[in-house]
Every structure is written in C-alpha cells, then in structure tokens.
Amino acid sequence: MTEPSELIDLTARQLLTGYRAGTFSPLDATRAVLARVEEVQGRLNAFVRIDTEPALAQARAATERWHAGEPVGLLDGVPVSVKDTLLQAGGPTLVGSNAIAEKGSWHEDAPSVARLREHGAVLVGKTTTPEFGWRGVTDSPRTGITRNPHDPARTTGGSSGGSAAAVAAGAAPLSLGTDGGGSIRIPASFCGVFGLKPTYGRVPLHPASAFGTLSHVGPLARDAADAALLLDVISGADQRDPTALEPPAHSYAAALAEDAAAGVKGLRIAYSPSFGGQVAVRPAVAAAVRAAVTRLAELGAYVEEADPDFADPVDAFHTLWNAGAARLVDRLSLEQRALIDPGLREIAARGARLSALDLLAAQEARIELGRRMARFHRRYDILATPTLPITAFEAGREAPAGSGLRRWTGWTPFTYPFNLTQQPAATVPVGTDADGLPIGLQLVAARYGERAVLRAAAAFPGSSRR
C-alpha cells in the first residue's frame, strides 16, 4: 500500500498511472494532499481557503469513475490548487484585498477553472496573492505574508506565490497561476518549481485583467511534463475572452513525448547571462545558470552566447502597469480605496497622471520590442537567461534590504520584457545557492513556441518536495 507521505511526492502523471493500475485512488491522494495542506499552512500561509469537503466529494466521484473504468478528461482525480485571482464557483475570489466583500453570488468559474472541472480535477483550495496581483512578492493586507518552503524567513516571490509554495511543499502537484510581469516565473524560481507563462491568449482569461494584455494564465508544476498536461487542459478558446487563441493544433503532452527521443539535439539556443551587461547577476545564480546551459550543449543543442538587441523596457512596462492599476482603483468606491495596499494606491496615482500620448508611446515601445525579438528568434529557437538575478530575500519586503530598490521591477529585469512581447517563457529549477535557496533558468521562445520551451525544459529533472 502506498503511504500518504509517498502520494504527496508524486507528479500528476504518476498519480494517474496509480489510479489506472488501482494502486491507490483519487480519494487516497486527495486525503494525503489535504493533510499536507493543513500541515504546512500555519508555516507557509500559502492558502486563502482550503476546500476540504468539496474536494473530498470530488475525489469520491473520481474514485468511482476510475473503479468503473470510466475516467473523464485528462486530470480525473488529480488535486489542483487555484490562485485567488481566478474565479472559482462556490466561494469568493478575494484577490488579497479587504476591499472585496466575501458575501455575494460567486457562481462563475474562470475559463481555466471550468476546464479543470471538465477534466475531473479535484480543486483543493485557493492560493494567496498580493492585492490584485500587483507586485512580485506575495503579501497582502487581507492574508498577510506567504513564506518560502525552503526557508520560511524568505519570500516566495509573487504574485503567484501561494501557488508556487503549495507545489513546492507537496500541497497538490499542480496549480493555476497568473503572470503579468513575471508572476508565475518569479515565485516558481524562488520556490524551486516549474512555471510556464504561455503565449498571450493561449489560455483564455475572464474577467479581463485590469493590467490588460500583459496578464497571462499558466501552470505551476513539479516538471515540464506535468505542466504540458495541465496546459492541454486549460488551452483553447472561450467565448468570454475575445483575445483567446484557437485550440492548439497538437497536444503539448503528446508533443513532449514525441520530442523525448531527440531531446534538445538540434535546438538553437542563445545564452544571455546578463542582457549584455545590463543586469548584475549574483555569482551563485550566474554559475548555476551557466552550468545548466552547458548541460544543454552537452545534450546536443547548439548553444552560443548572444544577447537580444534591446535596452531595458521598464519605462514602457511601468506606464502600462501603472495605468492598469489606476483603472483598477478607479472602479472602487472611496471606502474601498481606503482599504487597499498603500503601494498599490501609489502606483495607481501615478497611472492616473498618464496621458493618452504616454500610453501610445508605451505601446509603440512594446511593438518595437516584439519586432526585435521576432527577428532574434529567426536565428534562435530559445533564449536562455537567469530567471532572476538573485535568490529569495527576506519575507515581508518588496525588494531586498540594502538594494536601494523600492519596487519589484528593480530585481526582475529578465521577466517583464516577455510580458510586453507576449512570448512563452518558463522557469526551470537548476540548482541552489549556498543557503539552499533555489535558482531558476528562464527559457523563452517565439510566440506560439510553447513546444520548444517545454522540449528544452524537459532536459532538467523536476523539483522535489520541501
């Protein structure tokens, strides 16, 4: 008999294999995951809400389907958590804000959550986020500080920090996150798990993000293969999102299996250690990323050091981000505005002072950046960079102590450019520093190039539970 402690170490694919063989059931796995959630919640604060009874009911139904030989979908009986910026029917979506009332009619699923239900996933709970997902660390006026499983004194990063911490801690092998400037990749890197921001529109989003087309929905998982499976489930059109792409022409999980024989052989990879000297990267991070890129070369990829041709687009990003914050706050009453995070209120005020010309200039910069990256990817299949130039710092801060930085974008220069370009970008764990804190390698492909990103990421082993 498989012990509960062993079940929480399994990937989604391993759980499905066990269900198919009758070795254990979705109910066994869900009970083990819920026990783990309860065990780590007090230490990590990764969950806003734990849906124990609904999850057990879903797991019982999945167990009956497997016993009858009639599973539904691709994730039947697999425990999954959902970031609390995504609607989930049956309970409130509070987005880390005291300005949102719990009472109300919470009857609608976001498109990605609806797809999880259709595929039989067991929804174990909602994970923490900074207020409205506005910054790259996960603490909020409503839920407090979310902490890193590798060291609870450190931040998870954000804004999908609860999701990353949950996966890293064994509190469900899969989670849904969102990424507007690195919000999947930042916490996945800090917590040592796999995170993928797909091409914009690959996963439909409703309601639309206040941050507009910067915001993507994607998977956090133990490894690339599990992420590919979840991406198969959540990809595709939804009439509520007119910007969503049509369903992909192939299964990402099947494509990854097809690519396994060749691995990374023949992939053309550009390695940019510091964006041409624009970013100061901590030595331990630089060494781990360089070793990972060397591994790709040893496995048969064509690797050369090459930098994408662009200057830091942070000004354009700030213009669009702050304008989104201003629009978000503008929808709130005066009473609600008094309750929100002072930092969010500050960037919203900056956004409110922007002109139409400012926004158009930012859009022009965004388009030019996209053109430059499109040209770059004519030569290279993958751009490889550090995900972040640092490892996780003290929890409860927006920027590392002593850095002189006020805002999260000061230490995330490798992530937000690819929200502007809407390219697929993933982070994969490639080692730890002297303090045992995870280091991530970022892999970026041309738009619609999720298959290439997953293929390159599969060269690295997945994370293990902390």
Side-chain angles (χ1 to χ4, degrees):
M1 180 177 177
T2 306
E3 295 297 322
S5 60
E6 296 172 333
L7 289 175
I8 63 173
D9 286 330
L10 299 182
T11 64
R13 303 180 326 283
Q14 290 169 330
L15 288 176
L16 291 167
T17 298
Y19 300 162
R20 194 170 294 112
T23 308
F24 45 80
S25 72
L27 187 56
D28 296 328
T30 300
R31 283 172 172 160
V33 164
L34 288 170
R36 180 61 175 170
V37 172
E38 294 286 356
E39 178 186 347
V40 302
Q41 175 63 5
R43 178 165 54 96
L44 303 180
N45 187 33
F47 284 82
V48 177
R49 186 179 76 242
I50 303 167
D51 292 326
T52 302
E53 291 308 317
L56 289 172
Q58 294 163 24
R60 290 187 186 98
T63 298
E64 291 176 4
R65 291 192 294 269
W66 278 103
H67 284 169
E70 298 176 347
V72 298
L74 299 176
L75 291 175
D76 202 2
V78 175
V80 183
S81 63
V82 175
K83 183 180 180 180
D84 198 40
T85 55
L86 296 167
L87 291 178
Q88 182 178 321
T93 296
L94 302 172
V95 294
S97 180
N98 287 321
I100 304 300
E102 290 192 40
K103 294 181 179 179
S105 179
W106 301 97
H107 61 274
E108 187 176 18
D109 284 329
S112 51
V113 177
R115 300 295 89 76
L116 288 177
R117 289 193 199 273
E118 291 169 7
H119 284 263
V122 174
L123 304 179
V124 297
K126 301 295 289 293
T127 58
T128 52
T129 174
E131 192 165 22
F132 296 100
W134 80 272
R135 61 179 176 172
V137 294
T138 300
D139 52 80
S140 78
R142 183 153 202 151
T143 59
I145 298 170
T146 297
R147 299 179 179 278
N148 196 311
H150 291 262
D151 179 353
R154 310 282 181 138
T155 181
T156 58
S159 62
S160 305
S163 288
V167 173
L174 299 173
S175 191
L176 282 184
T178 62
D179 189 316
S183 290
I184 287 173
R185 290 159 290 154
I186 294 166
S189 180
F190 275 177
C191 293
V193 300
F194 183 87
L196 172 64
K197 177 189 76 67
T199 303
Y200 178 79
R202 178 64 66 208
V203 182
L205 178 62
H206 172 79
S209 170
F211 299 106
T213 57
L214 293 172
S215 188
H216 306 52
V217 180
L220 293 99
R222 297 251 175 83
D223 59 22
D226 262 16
L229 179 62
L230 181 50
L231 188 58
D232 279 341
V233 169
I234 61 177
S235 294
D238 187 290
Q239 64 182 3
R240 294 172 291 174
D241 182 357
T243 68
L245 301 173
E246 289 298 314
H250 56 267
S251 156
Y252 291 109
L256 193 59
E258 290 174 12
D259 293 337
V264 297
K265 288 180 182 178
L267 278 180
R268 302 167 299 165
I269 298 177
Y271 165 46
S272 179
S274 61
F275 279 173
Q278 294 183 75
V279 182
V281 179
R282 193 166 291 175
V285 173
V289 170
R290 183 174 290 276
V293 172
T294 299
R295 171 177 170 79
L296 292 172
E298 292 169 348
L299 292 172
Y302 297 107
V303 177
E304 66 176 301
E305 194 165 320
D307 300 307
D309 178 26
F310 64 77
D312 187 353
V314 70
D315 289 340
F317 181 81
H318 280 163
T319 294
L320 297 170
W321 194 253
N322 293 352
R327 177 61 180 140
L328 189 160
V329 171
D330 186 60
R331 295 170 179 161
L332 302 177
S333 68
L334 291 177
E335 292 78 10
Q336 288 175 308
R337 292 179 199 181
L339 298 173
I340 65 173
D341 187 321
L344 175 57
R345 199 159 49 236
E346 178 185 319
I347 69 164
R350 291 185 179 184
R353 293 192 293 269
L354 295 167
S355 70
L357 290 177
D358 293 327
L359 291 174
L360 288 171
Q363 291 288 9
E364 287 176 3
R366 182 181 195 178
I367 290 169
E368 177 58 26
L369 179 61
R371 286 178 181 150
R372 288 173 181 264
M373 288 308 302
R375 287 197 298 268
F376 185 82
H377 284 290
R378 290 176 190 167
R379 182 169 181 180
Y380 301 106
D381 300 306
I382 295 288
L383 168 65
T385 76
T387 306
L388 297 165
I390 59 175
T391 51
F393 52 88
E394 180 186 353
R397 301 183 58 90
E398 187 176 340
S403 67
L405 301 172
R406 288 194 68 240
R407 292 283 170 245
W408 61 275
T409 45
W411 50 271
T412 60
F414 293 112
T415 60
Y416 55 76
F418 306 111
N419 293 81
L420 289 165
T421 62
Q422 303 184 334
Q423 296 171 243
T427 182
V428 59
V430 292
T432 57
D433 67 7
D435 294 321
L437 299 169
I439 295 166
L441 167 71
Q442 180 174 235
L443 301 166
V444 184
R447 291 180 69 190
Y448 319 119
E450 286 86 356
R451 180 171 182 170
V453 168
L454 291 165
R455 179 181 169 191
F460 301 95
S463 64
S464 58
R465 173 172 59 88
R466 296 298 301 177

